[in-house]
Amino acid sequence: MSNNMFCFQCEQTAGGKGCVTAGVCGKNPETANNQDELTAALIDLARAAGGKSPSKTATELVIQGLFTTITNVNFDPAKVAEWTAAVKKETAKCNSGTTYPAKDLWAGDPDVVSLRSTLLLGMRGMAAYAWHAYVLGKEDAAVSDWFFKGLKALSEEHSVNDWLGLLMEFGGVNLKCMGLLDEANTSAYGHPVPAKVTTNVAKGPFIVITGHDLLDLKQLLEQTEGKGINIYTHGEMLPAHGYPELKKYAHLKGNFGTAWQSQQKEFNNLPAPILFTTNCLMPPRASYSDRIFTTSVVAYPELKHIPDVEIGGVKDFTPVIEKALELGGWDTDKEFTGINGGSELITGFGHNTVMSVAGTVIDAVKAGAIKHFFLVGGCDGAKPGRNYYTEFVKQTPQDTVVLTLACGKFRFNDLNLGEIGGLPRILDMGQCNDAYSAIQVAVALAGAFECGVNDLPLTLVLSWYEQKAVCILLTLLSLGIKDIYIGPSLPAFLSPTVLGVLVEKFNLHPITTPEQDLKAILG
Protein backbone atom coordinates (compact mmCIF):
# COMPACT_ATOMS: atom_id res chain seq x y z
CA MET A 1 0.00 0.00 0.00
CA SER A 2 1.37 3.41 -0.97
CA ASN A 3 1.80 6.06 1.70
CA ASN A 4 1.42 8.75 -0.95
CA MET A 5 -1.73 10.14 -2.51
CA PHE A 6 -2.88 13.11 -4.52
CA CYS A 7 -6.16 14.92 -4.10
CA PHE A 8 -7.03 18.56 -4.74
CA GLN A 9 -10.76 18.30 -5.22
CA CYS A 10 -11.96 20.23 -2.14
CA GLU A 11 -11.55 23.86 -1.10
CA GLN A 12 -9.57 22.94 2.01
CA THR A 13 -6.88 20.94 0.19
CA ALA A 14 -3.45 21.17 1.87
CA GLY A 15 -1.58 24.39 1.19
CA GLY A 16 -4.10 25.29 -1.50
CA LYS A 17 -2.24 22.86 -3.79
CA GLY A 18 -3.16 19.27 -2.96
CA CYS A 19 -3.15 16.61 -0.23
CA VAL A 20 -0.23 14.21 -0.72
CA THR A 21 0.22 12.32 2.57
CA ALA A 22 -3.29 12.47 4.09
CA GLY A 23 -6.50 14.21 3.17
CA VAL A 24 -7.45 17.32 5.12
CA CYS A 25 -10.92 15.71 5.15
CA GLY A 26 -9.50 12.69 7.00
CA LYS A 27 -9.16 10.42 3.97
CA ASN A 28 -6.07 8.20 4.15
CA PRO A 29 -3.80 7.34 1.18
CA GLU A 30 -5.27 3.85 0.78
CA THR A 31 -8.78 5.24 0.41
CA ALA A 32 -7.63 8.03 -1.92
CA ASN A 33 -5.72 5.63 -4.16
CA ASN A 34 -8.61 3.17 -4.18
CA GLN A 35 -10.89 6.00 -5.29
CA ASP A 36 -8.48 6.77 -8.13
CA GLU A 37 -8.57 3.11 -9.12
CA LEU A 38 -12.37 3.20 -9.03
CA THR A 39 -12.38 6.28 -11.26
CA ALA A 40 -10.03 4.60 -13.74
CA ALA A 41 -12.28 1.53 -13.74
CA LEU A 42 -15.29 3.73 -14.50
CA ILE A 43 -13.40 5.22 -17.44
CA ASP A 44 -12.72 1.68 -18.70
CA LEU A 45 -16.41 0.84 -18.39
CA ALA A 46 -17.37 3.95 -20.33
CA ARG A 47 -14.85 3.13 -23.08
CA ALA A 48 -16.05 -0.47 -23.19
CA ALA A 49 -19.63 0.71 -23.68
CA GLY A 50 -18.41 2.05 -27.02
CA GLY A 51 -21.30 4.39 -27.67
CA LYS A 52 -23.88 1.65 -27.14
CA SER A 53 -26.81 2.17 -24.78
CA PRO A 54 -25.42 1.19 -21.37
CA SER A 55 -27.13 -1.48 -19.31
CA LYS A 56 -29.13 -0.62 -16.20
CA THR A 57 -26.38 -2.16 -14.07
CA ALA A 58 -23.66 -0.17 -15.83
CA THR A 59 -25.60 3.07 -15.42
CA GLU A 60 -26.15 2.48 -11.70
CA LEU A 61 -22.48 1.56 -11.19
CA VAL A 62 -21.27 4.70 -12.98
CA ILE A 63 -23.56 7.07 -11.08
CA GLN A 64 -22.97 5.50 -7.68
CA GLY A 65 -19.26 5.03 -8.37
CA LEU A 66 -18.77 8.72 -9.11
CA PHE A 67 -20.94 9.64 -6.12
CA THR A 68 -18.73 7.46 -3.90
CA THR A 69 -15.66 9.57 -4.69
CA ILE A 70 -17.12 12.94 -3.62
CA THR A 71 -15.39 14.53 -0.64
CA ASN A 72 -16.59 13.30 2.77
CA VAL A 73 -18.71 10.45 1.42
CA ASN A 74 -16.74 7.21 1.63
CA PHE A 75 -13.71 6.75 3.88
CA ASP A 76 -13.69 2.94 3.77
CA PRO A 77 -11.01 1.59 1.39
CA ALA A 78 -12.53 -1.89 1.45
CA LYS A 79 -15.94 -0.57 0.38
CA VAL A 80 -14.34 1.45 -2.42
CA ALA A 81 -12.46 -1.65 -3.57
CA GLU A 82 -15.77 -3.54 -3.67
CA TRP A 83 -17.20 -0.87 -5.99
CA THR A 84 -14.14 -1.19 -8.23
CA ALA A 85 -14.49 -4.97 -8.42
CA ALA A 86 -18.16 -4.65 -9.39
CA VAL A 87 -17.30 -2.11 -12.11
CA LYS A 88 -14.55 -4.35 -13.52
CA LYS A 89 -16.93 -7.32 -13.56
CA GLU A 90 -19.43 -5.31 -15.61
CA THR A 91 -16.68 -4.06 -17.93
CA ALA A 92 -15.52 -7.64 -18.57
CA LYS A 93 -18.93 -8.41 -20.11
CA CYS A 94 -18.08 -5.95 -22.89
CA ASN A 95 -14.81 -7.73 -23.80
CA SER A 96 -12.86 -4.55 -23.12
CA GLY A 97 -9.18 -4.49 -24.00
CA THR A 98 -7.00 -1.63 -22.75
CA THR A 99 -7.17 -0.23 -19.23
CA TYR A 100 -6.76 3.37 -18.18
CA PRO A 101 -3.95 3.86 -15.61
CA ALA A 102 -5.17 5.63 -12.48
CA LYS A 103 -1.91 7.59 -12.30
CA ASP A 104 -2.80 9.32 -15.57
CA LEU A 105 -5.72 11.13 -13.92
CA TRP A 106 -3.39 13.76 -12.46
CA ALA A 107 -0.49 13.53 -14.95
CA GLY A 108 0.39 15.65 -17.97
CA ASP A 109 0.38 19.28 -19.01
CA PRO A 110 -0.90 21.39 -16.08
CA ASP A 111 -3.61 23.04 -18.18
CA VAL A 112 -4.84 19.70 -19.51
CA VAL A 113 -4.84 18.25 -15.98
CA SER A 114 -6.82 21.31 -14.85
CA LEU A 115 -9.44 20.95 -17.56
CA ARG A 116 -9.66 17.17 -17.20
CA SER A 117 -10.02 17.49 -13.42
CA THR A 118 -12.69 20.18 -13.67
CA LEU A 119 -14.79 17.91 -15.88
CA LEU A 120 -14.26 14.87 -13.64
CA LEU A 121 -15.10 16.76 -10.46
CA GLY A 122 -18.18 18.28 -12.06
CA MET A 123 -19.40 14.82 -13.05
CA ARG A 124 -18.89 13.61 -9.50
CA GLY A 125 -21.17 16.38 -8.29
CA MET A 126 -23.80 15.68 -10.94
CA ALA A 127 -23.74 11.99 -10.00
CA ALA A 128 -25.05 12.83 -6.52
CA TYR A 129 -28.01 14.71 -8.00
CA ALA A 130 -28.66 12.00 -10.58
CA TRP A 131 -28.73 9.32 -7.90
CA HIS A 132 -31.17 11.22 -5.68
CA ALA A 133 -33.50 11.46 -8.68
CA TYR A 134 -32.88 7.84 -9.69
CA VAL A 135 -33.99 6.40 -6.35
CA LEU A 136 -37.26 8.31 -6.82
CA GLY A 137 -37.76 6.64 -10.20
CA LYS A 138 -36.65 9.58 -12.33
CA GLU A 139 -34.01 9.19 -15.03
CA ASP A 140 -33.13 11.14 -18.16
CA ALA A 141 -31.14 9.26 -20.80
CA ALA A 142 -29.46 12.53 -21.82
CA VAL A 143 -28.04 12.77 -18.30
CA SER A 144 -27.20 9.10 -17.78
CA ASP A 145 -25.55 8.73 -21.18
CA TRP A 146 -23.46 11.88 -20.66
CA PHE A 147 -21.65 10.26 -17.75
CA PHE A 148 -20.33 7.68 -20.22
CA LYS A 149 -19.44 10.36 -22.77
CA GLY A 150 -17.67 12.45 -20.16
CA LEU A 151 -15.75 9.56 -18.62
CA LYS A 152 -14.59 8.41 -22.05
CA ALA A 153 -13.50 11.97 -22.86
CA LEU A 154 -11.25 12.00 -19.79
CA SER A 155 -9.01 9.39 -21.42
CA GLU A 156 -8.74 11.24 -24.73
CA GLU A 157 -6.63 14.09 -26.08
CA HIS A 158 -8.44 17.40 -26.63
CA SER A 159 -7.44 20.94 -27.45
CA VAL A 160 -8.04 23.59 -24.80
CA ASN A 161 -11.02 24.86 -26.78
CA ASP A 162 -12.43 21.35 -27.05
CA TRP A 163 -12.06 20.87 -23.29
CA LEU A 164 -13.83 24.17 -22.68
CA GLY A 165 -16.57 23.07 -25.07
CA LEU A 166 -17.00 19.83 -23.13
CA LEU A 167 -17.23 21.76 -19.87
CA MET A 168 -19.93 24.05 -21.22
CA GLU A 169 -21.82 21.10 -22.68
CA PHE A 170 -21.59 19.37 -19.33
CA GLY A 171 -22.93 22.49 -17.59
CA GLY A 172 -26.02 22.33 -19.78
CA VAL A 173 -26.52 18.64 -18.99
CA ASN A 174 -26.20 19.33 -15.27
CA LEU A 175 -29.02 21.88 -15.58
CA LYS A 176 -31.17 19.05 -16.97
CA CYS A 177 -30.06 16.87 -14.08
CA MET A 178 -31.01 19.48 -11.46
CA GLY A 179 -34.34 19.95 -13.24
CA LEU A 180 -34.85 16.18 -13.12
CA LEU A 181 -34.21 16.11 -9.38
CA ASP A 182 -36.52 19.09 -8.85
CA GLU A 183 -39.25 17.17 -10.68
CA ALA A 184 -38.50 14.03 -8.66
CA ASN A 185 -38.67 15.84 -5.31
CA THR A 186 -41.73 17.96 -6.05
CA SER A 187 -43.71 15.10 -7.59
CA ALA A 188 -42.94 12.95 -4.54
CA TYR A 189 -43.27 15.53 -1.76
CA GLY A 190 -45.07 18.54 -3.27
CA HIS A 191 -43.70 22.00 -3.94
CA PRO A 192 -41.95 23.54 -0.93
CA VAL A 193 -43.86 26.17 1.01
CA PRO A 194 -42.43 28.66 3.53
CA ALA A 195 -41.84 27.08 6.93
CA LYS A 196 -40.46 28.33 10.23
CA VAL A 197 -38.11 25.81 11.83
CA THR A 198 -37.00 25.82 15.45
CA THR A 199 -33.41 25.16 16.49
CA ASN A 200 -34.52 23.89 19.90
CA VAL A 201 -34.78 20.21 20.81
CA ALA A 202 -37.62 18.72 22.86
CA LYS A 203 -36.95 16.26 25.67
CA GLY A 204 -37.15 12.56 24.94
CA PRO A 205 -35.80 10.22 22.23
CA PHE A 206 -34.82 11.76 18.92
CA ILE A 207 -32.88 11.07 15.73
CA VAL A 208 -30.74 13.52 13.76
CA ILE A 209 -30.72 12.97 9.99
CA THR A 210 -28.13 14.66 7.80
CA GLY A 211 -27.03 14.66 4.18
CA HIS A 212 -29.33 15.33 1.23
CA ASP A 213 -31.53 12.29 0.54
CA LEU A 214 -35.21 13.12 1.13
CA LEU A 215 -36.36 9.56 0.43
CA ASP A 216 -34.34 8.28 3.39
CA LEU A 217 -36.00 10.94 5.55
CA LYS A 218 -39.47 10.02 4.29
CA GLN A 219 -38.94 6.35 5.10
CA LEU A 220 -37.49 7.20 8.52
CA LEU A 221 -40.50 9.39 9.29
CA GLU A 222 -42.85 6.59 8.31
CA GLN A 223 -41.03 4.05 10.46
CA THR A 224 -40.83 6.27 13.56
CA GLU A 225 -44.41 7.54 13.49
CA GLY A 226 -46.20 6.81 16.76
CA LYS A 227 -43.03 5.58 18.50
CA GLY A 228 -42.41 8.69 20.60
CA ILE A 229 -39.27 9.60 18.66
CA ASN A 230 -38.75 13.08 17.24
CA ILE A 231 -36.79 13.69 14.04
CA TYR A 232 -34.44 16.65 13.59
CA THR A 233 -32.80 17.63 10.34
CA HIS A 234 -29.17 18.69 10.14
CA GLY A 235 -27.24 20.60 7.49
CA GLU A 236 -28.59 20.20 3.97
CA MET A 237 -31.69 18.38 5.23
CA LEU A 238 -33.11 21.63 6.64
CA PRO A 239 -35.14 22.38 3.43
CA ALA A 240 -37.12 19.16 4.02
CA HIS A 241 -39.32 21.17 6.40
CA GLY A 242 -40.80 23.01 3.43
CA TYR A 243 -42.11 19.95 1.57
CA PRO A 244 -45.82 19.27 2.32
CA GLU A 245 -45.48 15.48 2.23
CA LEU A 246 -42.66 15.62 4.78
CA LYS A 247 -43.79 18.47 7.04
CA LYS A 248 -47.13 16.72 7.59
CA TYR A 249 -45.38 14.39 10.05
CA ALA A 250 -45.81 16.02 13.46
CA HIS A 251 -42.65 14.41 14.80
CA LEU A 252 -40.47 16.22 12.23
CA LYS A 253 -39.73 18.75 14.93
CA GLY A 254 -36.90 21.06 13.95
CA ASN A 255 -33.28 21.43 12.89
CA PHE A 256 -30.34 20.47 15.09
CA GLY A 257 -26.96 22.13 14.68
CA THR A 258 -25.48 24.09 11.83
CA ALA A 259 -23.37 23.05 8.84
CA TRP A 260 -21.29 19.91 8.40
CA GLN A 261 -17.91 21.24 9.59
CA SER A 262 -19.21 21.72 13.15
CA GLN A 263 -20.45 18.16 13.58
CA GLN A 264 -17.54 16.94 15.72
CA LYS A 265 -18.40 19.59 18.30
CA GLU A 266 -22.18 19.49 17.93
CA PHE A 267 -22.46 15.68 17.97
CA ASN A 268 -20.11 15.30 20.95
CA ASN A 269 -21.87 13.00 23.46
CA LEU A 270 -25.21 13.59 21.71
CA PRO A 271 -27.86 11.38 23.39
CA ALA A 272 -29.28 10.37 20.00
CA PRO A 273 -28.27 8.52 16.81
CA ILE A 274 -27.21 10.37 13.67
CA LEU A 275 -28.10 9.02 10.23
CA PHE A 276 -25.81 10.07 7.35
CA THR A 277 -27.65 9.72 4.05
CA THR A 278 -24.90 11.36 1.96
CA ASN A 279 -21.93 13.60 2.60
CA CYS A 280 -20.66 15.42 4.54
CA LEU A 281 -19.28 12.88 7.01
CA MET A 282 -16.22 13.79 9.08
CA PRO A 283 -14.10 11.21 10.92
CA PRO A 284 -16.19 10.64 14.05
CA ARG A 285 -14.96 11.08 17.60
CA ALA A 286 -15.15 8.24 20.07
CA SER A 287 -17.74 10.16 22.10
CA TYR A 288 -20.41 9.58 19.45
CA SER A 289 -19.09 7.06 16.91
CA ASP A 290 -21.26 4.33 18.46
CA ARG A 291 -24.40 6.24 17.45
CA ILE A 292 -23.58 7.05 13.83
CA PHE A 293 -25.33 5.15 11.07
CA THR A 294 -24.49 5.44 7.38
CA THR A 295 -26.48 4.40 4.33
CA SER A 296 -26.30 4.48 0.52
CA VAL A 297 -22.71 5.12 -0.67
CA VAL A 298 -21.63 6.69 2.64
CA ALA A 299 -19.16 4.58 4.59
CA TYR A 300 -16.52 4.75 7.28
CA PRO A 301 -14.64 1.78 8.77
CA GLU A 302 -16.47 0.10 11.67
CA LEU A 303 -19.51 2.40 11.57
CA LYS A 304 -22.93 0.73 11.41
CA HIS A 305 -24.42 0.73 7.91
CA ILE A 306 -28.06 0.53 6.85
CA PRO A 307 -28.08 -1.67 3.73
CA ASP A 308 -29.46 -0.50 0.42
CA VAL A 309 -32.56 -2.04 -1.13
CA GLU A 310 -33.81 -2.44 -4.68
CA ILE A 311 -35.00 0.81 -6.27
CA GLY A 312 -38.55 1.33 -5.06
CA GLY A 313 -37.96 -0.72 -1.91
CA VAL A 314 -37.93 0.34 1.73
CA LYS A 315 -34.82 0.43 3.91
CA ASP A 316 -35.04 -0.98 7.42
CA PHE A 317 -34.10 1.73 9.93
CA THR A 318 -34.85 -0.47 12.95
CA PRO A 319 -31.25 -0.26 14.29
CA VAL A 320 -31.42 3.55 14.25
CA ILE A 321 -34.81 3.53 15.97
CA GLU A 322 -33.63 1.09 18.64
CA LYS A 323 -30.56 3.24 19.34
CA ALA A 324 -32.77 6.34 19.74
CA LEU A 325 -34.94 4.56 22.30
CA GLU A 326 -31.87 3.20 24.09
CA LEU A 327 -30.18 6.61 24.39
CA GLY A 328 -33.41 8.32 25.35
CA GLY A 329 -32.52 11.90 24.41
CA TRP A 330 -32.35 14.68 26.97
CA ASP A 331 -34.43 14.77 30.15
CA THR A 332 -35.45 18.38 29.58
CA ASP A 333 -36.08 20.61 26.58
CA LYS A 334 -32.88 22.15 25.23
CA GLU A 335 -32.43 25.54 23.62
CA PHE A 336 -29.92 26.03 20.81
CA THR A 337 -29.19 28.85 18.40
CA GLY A 338 -27.56 29.43 15.05
CA ILE A 339 -24.12 31.02 14.85
CA ASN A 340 -25.59 34.53 15.16
CA GLY A 341 -27.82 33.73 18.15
CA GLY A 342 -31.13 33.21 16.30
CA SER A 343 -33.40 30.31 17.31
CA GLU A 344 -35.69 30.18 14.28
CA LEU A 345 -34.88 29.43 10.64
CA ILE A 346 -37.11 30.00 7.62
CA THR A 347 -36.99 27.76 4.56
CA GLY A 348 -39.26 26.68 1.71
CA PHE A 349 -38.82 29.48 -0.85
CA GLY A 350 -38.50 27.23 -3.91
CA HIS A 351 -39.18 28.55 -7.40
CA ASN A 352 -42.89 27.71 -7.17
CA THR A 353 -43.33 29.88 -4.05
CA VAL A 354 -41.22 32.75 -5.36
CA MET A 355 -42.96 32.72 -8.74
CA SER A 356 -46.35 32.81 -7.00
CA VAL A 357 -45.44 36.25 -5.66
CA ALA A 358 -43.53 37.34 -8.77
CA GLY A 359 -45.96 40.19 -9.34
CA THR A 360 -45.25 41.59 -5.90
CA VAL A 361 -41.50 41.26 -6.45
CA ILE A 362 -41.62 42.90 -9.89
CA ASP A 363 -43.75 45.77 -8.55
CA ALA A 364 -41.30 46.24 -5.67
CA VAL A 365 -38.41 46.47 -8.13
CA LYS A 366 -40.26 48.96 -10.32
CA ALA A 367 -41.19 51.05 -7.28
CA GLY A 368 -37.61 51.04 -6.02
CA ALA A 369 -38.42 49.06 -2.86
CA ILE A 370 -36.04 46.34 -4.08
CA LYS A 371 -32.85 47.73 -5.61
CA HIS A 372 -30.79 44.55 -5.91
CA PHE A 373 -30.88 40.77 -5.48
CA PHE A 374 -27.99 38.73 -4.15
CA LEU A 375 -27.69 34.97 -4.40
CA VAL A 376 -25.38 34.14 -1.51
CA GLY A 377 -25.02 30.40 -1.24
CA GLY A 378 -23.00 27.26 -1.70
CA CYS A 379 -21.00 25.05 0.62
CA ASP A 380 -19.85 25.87 4.12
CA GLY A 381 -16.47 24.75 5.42
CA ALA A 382 -14.00 24.97 8.27
CA LYS A 383 -11.25 26.98 6.62
CA PRO A 384 -10.88 30.56 7.96
CA GLY A 385 -12.41 33.26 5.81
CA ARG A 386 -15.97 32.04 5.57
CA ASN A 387 -17.21 34.68 8.01
CA TYR A 388 -17.02 36.86 4.87
CA TYR A 389 -20.46 35.53 3.93
CA THR A 390 -21.93 36.42 7.32
CA GLU A 391 -20.59 39.95 7.15
CA PHE A 392 -21.57 40.36 3.49
CA VAL A 393 -25.21 39.50 4.22
CA LYS A 394 -25.27 41.66 7.35
CA GLN A 395 -24.07 44.61 5.29
CA THR A 396 -26.50 44.25 2.40
CA PRO A 397 -28.73 47.35 2.26
CA GLN A 398 -32.31 47.19 3.52
CA ASP A 399 -33.64 47.59 -0.03
CA THR A 400 -32.00 44.36 -1.21
CA VAL A 401 -33.06 40.71 -1.10
CA VAL A 402 -30.75 37.76 -0.33
CA LEU A 403 -31.57 34.47 -2.00
CA THR A 404 -29.68 31.53 -0.52
CA LEU A 405 -29.26 27.79 -0.84
CA ALA A 406 -27.02 24.93 0.32
CA CYS A 407 -25.31 24.72 3.71
CA GLY A 408 -23.39 27.98 3.29
CA LYS A 409 -26.57 29.68 4.50
CA PHE A 410 -25.90 28.55 8.07
CA ARG A 411 -23.43 31.43 8.24
CA PHE A 412 -26.39 33.86 8.28
CA ASN A 413 -29.78 32.10 8.08
CA ASP A 414 -30.60 32.76 11.73
CA LEU A 415 -30.34 36.54 11.17
CA ASN A 416 -33.52 38.61 11.10
CA LEU A 417 -32.96 41.18 8.35
CA GLY A 418 -36.59 42.29 8.22
CA GLU A 419 -39.01 42.14 5.29
CA ILE A 420 -39.83 43.88 2.02
CA GLY A 421 -43.47 43.82 1.01
CA GLY A 422 -44.20 40.95 3.40
CA LEU A 423 -41.31 38.80 2.13
CA PRO A 424 -38.33 38.03 4.37
CA ARG A 425 -35.15 39.64 3.08
CA ILE A 426 -33.47 36.23 3.32
CA LEU A 427 -35.18 33.64 1.11
CA ASP A 428 -33.91 30.07 1.60
CA MET A 429 -34.43 28.28 -1.72
CA GLY A 430 -33.27 24.86 -0.51
CA GLN A 431 -30.40 22.45 -0.97
CA CYS A 432 -27.40 22.95 -3.26
CA ASN A 433 -29.23 21.27 -6.14
CA ASP A 434 -31.96 23.90 -5.77
CA ALA A 435 -29.70 26.27 -7.66
CA TYR A 436 -32.16 25.12 -10.32
CA SER A 437 -34.85 27.13 -8.51
CA ALA A 438 -32.65 30.22 -8.44
CA ILE A 439 -31.96 29.88 -12.16
CA GLN A 440 -35.67 29.50 -12.92
CA VAL A 441 -36.46 32.64 -10.92
CA ALA A 442 -33.66 34.60 -12.60
CA VAL A 443 -34.83 33.57 -16.07
CA ALA A 444 -38.43 34.50 -15.20
CA LEU A 445 -37.39 37.92 -13.88
CA ALA A 446 -35.30 38.54 -17.00
CA GLY A 447 -38.38 37.72 -19.07
CA ALA A 448 -40.56 40.06 -17.04
CA PHE A 449 -38.13 42.94 -17.47
CA GLU A 450 -37.36 42.02 -21.08
CA CYS A 451 -33.64 41.79 -20.52
CA GLY A 452 -30.91 39.20 -20.19
CA VAL A 453 -30.03 37.58 -16.87
CA ASN A 454 -26.75 39.50 -16.84
CA ASP A 455 -28.72 42.75 -17.09
CA LEU A 456 -30.75 42.06 -13.94
CA PRO A 457 -29.90 43.75 -10.64
CA LEU A 458 -28.67 40.32 -9.49
CA THR A 459 -25.24 39.28 -8.24
CA LEU A 460 -24.12 35.73 -7.40
CA VAL A 461 -21.77 35.43 -4.43
CA LEU A 462 -20.81 31.79 -4.12
CA SER A 463 -18.95 29.75 -1.53
CA TRP A 464 -17.61 26.37 -2.54
CA TYR A 465 -16.18 23.33 -0.82
CA GLU A 466 -16.84 20.17 -2.79
CA GLN A 467 -17.76 18.83 -6.21
CA LYS A 468 -21.46 19.69 -6.31
CA ALA A 469 -20.45 23.33 -6.18
CA VAL A 470 -18.21 22.66 -9.19
CA CYS A 471 -21.03 21.29 -11.34
CA ILE A 472 -23.31 24.20 -10.35
CA LEU A 473 -20.64 26.74 -11.30
CA LEU A 474 -20.22 25.05 -14.69
CA THR A 475 -23.99 25.21 -15.21
CA LEU A 476 -24.03 28.93 -14.44
CA LEU A 477 -21.14 29.52 -16.83
CA SER A 478 -22.80 27.43 -19.54
CA LEU A 479 -25.78 29.78 -19.29
CA GLY A 480 -23.46 32.71 -19.94
CA ILE A 481 -23.89 34.19 -16.46
CA LYS A 482 -21.07 36.63 -15.71
CA ASP A 483 -19.62 38.62 -12.82
CA ILE A 484 -19.90 35.78 -10.31
CA TYR A 485 -18.02 36.30 -7.03
CA ILE A 486 -16.44 33.10 -5.73
CA GLY A 487 -14.56 32.18 -2.55
CA PRO A 488 -13.31 31.82 0.06
CA SER A 489 -10.37 30.65 -2.08
CA LEU A 490 -10.04 29.64 -5.71
CA PRO A 491 -9.94 25.94 -6.67
CA ALA A 492 -6.48 24.38 -6.68
CA PHE A 493 -7.43 22.38 -9.76
CA LEU A 494 -7.77 25.56 -11.85
CA SER A 495 -4.37 26.28 -13.41
CA PRO A 496 -3.42 29.95 -13.88
CA THR A 497 -4.07 29.62 -17.62
CA VAL A 498 -7.51 28.04 -17.21
CA LEU A 499 -8.43 30.52 -14.49
CA GLY A 500 -7.34 33.33 -16.78
CA VAL A 501 -9.61 32.07 -19.55
CA LEU A 502 -12.60 31.89 -17.18
CA VAL A 503 -11.90 35.35 -15.77
CA GLU A 504 -11.58 36.82 -19.26
CA LYS A 505 -14.64 35.05 -20.68
CA PHE A 506 -16.98 35.22 -17.68
CA ASN A 507 -15.46 37.97 -15.52
CA LEU A 508 -15.18 35.73 -12.45
CA HIS A 509 -14.24 37.63 -9.30
CA PRO A 510 -12.36 36.14 -6.33
CA ILE A 511 -13.96 37.61 -3.21
CA THR A 512 -12.04 40.34 -1.35
CA THR A 513 -13.80 41.99 1.60
CA PRO A 514 -17.55 42.45 2.06
CA GLU A 515 -17.14 46.23 2.02
CA GLN A 516 -15.04 46.30 -1.13
CA ASP A 517 -17.19 43.80 -3.01
CA LEU A 518 -20.47 45.50 -2.08
CA LYS A 519 -19.06 48.82 -3.23
CA ALA A 520 -17.99 47.27 -6.54
CA ILE A 521 -21.42 45.68 -7.03
CA LEU A 522 -23.65 48.54 -5.93
CA GLY A 523 -21.42 51.49 -6.77
Side-chain angles (χ1 to χ4, degrees), residues 194-437:
K196 293 181 179 180
V197 184
T198 181
T199 61
N200 298 327
V201 177
K203 66 180 180 180
F206 67 99
I207 295 169
V208 174
I209 182 168
T210 189
H212 303 73
D213 198 292
L214 300 180
L215 180 59
D216 285 335
L217 172 58
K218 177 67 158 46
Q219 294 183 356
L220 181 66
L221 287 167
E222 290 171 342
Q223 293 176 37
T224 50
E225 192 169 25
K227 290 186 167 64
I229 299 172
N230 290 324
I231 306 299
Y232 291 86
T233 56
H234 172 268
E236 285 267 49
M237 294 299 282
L238 168 63
H241 292 271
Y243 287 94
E245 289 301 309
L246 299 176
K247 66 180 298 182
K248 71 180 184 182
Y249 290 91
H251 61 300
L252 179 60
K253 284 288 187 180
N255 188 81
F256 175 78
T258 53
W260 67 272
Q261 77 280 354
S262 300
Q263 65 189 257
Q264 290 179 329
K265 177 180 70 176
E266 293 174 346
F267 293 165
N268 189 42
N269 292 310
L270 190 71
I274 308 108
L275 175 63
F276 279 84
T277 66
T278 61
N279 58 329
C280 296
L281 172 67
M282 295 177 71
R285 293 179 174 173
S287 64
Y288 64 88
S289 61
D290 66 322
R291 56 209 67 182
I292 287 188
F293 295 81
T294 60
T295 191
S296 187
V297 297
V298 191
Y300 195 93
E302 299 181 6
L303 292 187
K304 295 175 282 294
H305 189 79
I306 303 298
D308 278 347
V309 292
E310 291 292 324
I311 301 298
V314 177
K315 294 181 183 179
D316 183 3
F317 290 112
T318 299
V320 187
I321 294 169
E322 290 177 343
K323 177 59 76 171
L325 294 172
E326 172 195 330
L327 293 170
W330 282 296
D331 294 333
T332 59
D333 295 345
K334 295 288 185 179
E335 294 183 356
F336 297 98
T337 68
I339 67 170
N340 301 290
S343 59
E344 186 175 75
L345 313 175
I346 301 177
T347 190
F349 286 92
H351 60 87
N352 195 62
T353 292
V354 176
M355 295 308 298
S356 71
V357 295
T360 301
V361 173
I362 291 167
D363 289 344
V365 173
K366 290 180 177 178
I370 297 177
K371 294 281 179 54
H372 206 88
F373 296 90
F374 296 96
L375 173 60
V376 186
C379 313
D380 206 353
K383 197 167 161 183
R386 289 183 181 267
N387 61 325
Y388 166 95
Y389 298 94
T390 309
E391 294 307 313
F392 186 97
V393 170
K394 283 182 177 179
Q395 294 178 38
T396 55
Q398 287 297 309
D399 55 5
T400 63
V401 172
V402 177
L403 310 174
T404 190
L405 46 82
C407 66
K409 62 175 165 266
F410 282 99
R411 291 283 169 172
F412 51 80
N413 67 342
D414 63 323
L415 292 170
N416 184 354
L417 298 186
E419 297 182 344
I420 299 178
L423 283 175
R425 282 192 53 229
I426 297 179
L427 301 179
D428 178 7
M429 306 195 81
Q431 296 181 335
C432 51
N433 58 283
D434 290 311
Y436 178 79
S437 274

Side-chain angles (χ1 to χ4, degrees), residues 125-126 128-130 132-133 136 174-186 192 211-214 236-237 239 243 278 351 378 405-407 409 429-440 466 468-469 471-472 475:
M126 186 170 79
Y129 299 147
H132 293 318
L136 289 172
N174 184 59
L175 180 63
K176 285 187 178 180
C177 185
M178 290 194 294
L180 182 71
L181 180 52
D182 179 78
E183 179 190 352
N185 284 336
T186 55
H212 303 73
D213 198 292
L214 300 180
E236 285 267 49
M237 294 299 282
Y243 287 94
T278 61
H351 60 87
L405 46 82
C407 66
K409 62 175 165 266
M429 306 195 81
Q431 296 181 335
C432 51
N433 58 283
D434 290 311
Y436 178 79
S437 274
I439 291 169
Q440 296 303 105
E466 46 96 325
K468 282 174 279 185
C471 68
I472 291 171
T475 291

Side-chain angles (χ1 to χ4, degrees), residues 108-166:
D109 176 83
D111 295 333
V112 172
V113 173
S114 176
L115 291 160
R116 182 197 302 137
S117 300
T118 302
L119 180 57
L120 170 60
L121 302 184
M123 286 194 293
R124 287 177 174 178
M126 186 170 79
Y129 299 147
W131 187 250
H132 293 318
Y134 194 86
V135 296
L136 289 172
K138 299 292 184 180
E139 182 186 8
D140 184 334
V143 174
S144 298
D145 291 351
W146 214 95
F147 285 114
F148 289 82
K149 176 179 180 175
L151 283 165
K152 184 172 179 291
L154 296 177
S155 67
E156 299 169 342
E157 297 293 329
H158 304 280
S159 68
V160 170
N161 283 337
D162 286 344
W163 277 115
L164 289 171
L166 280 166

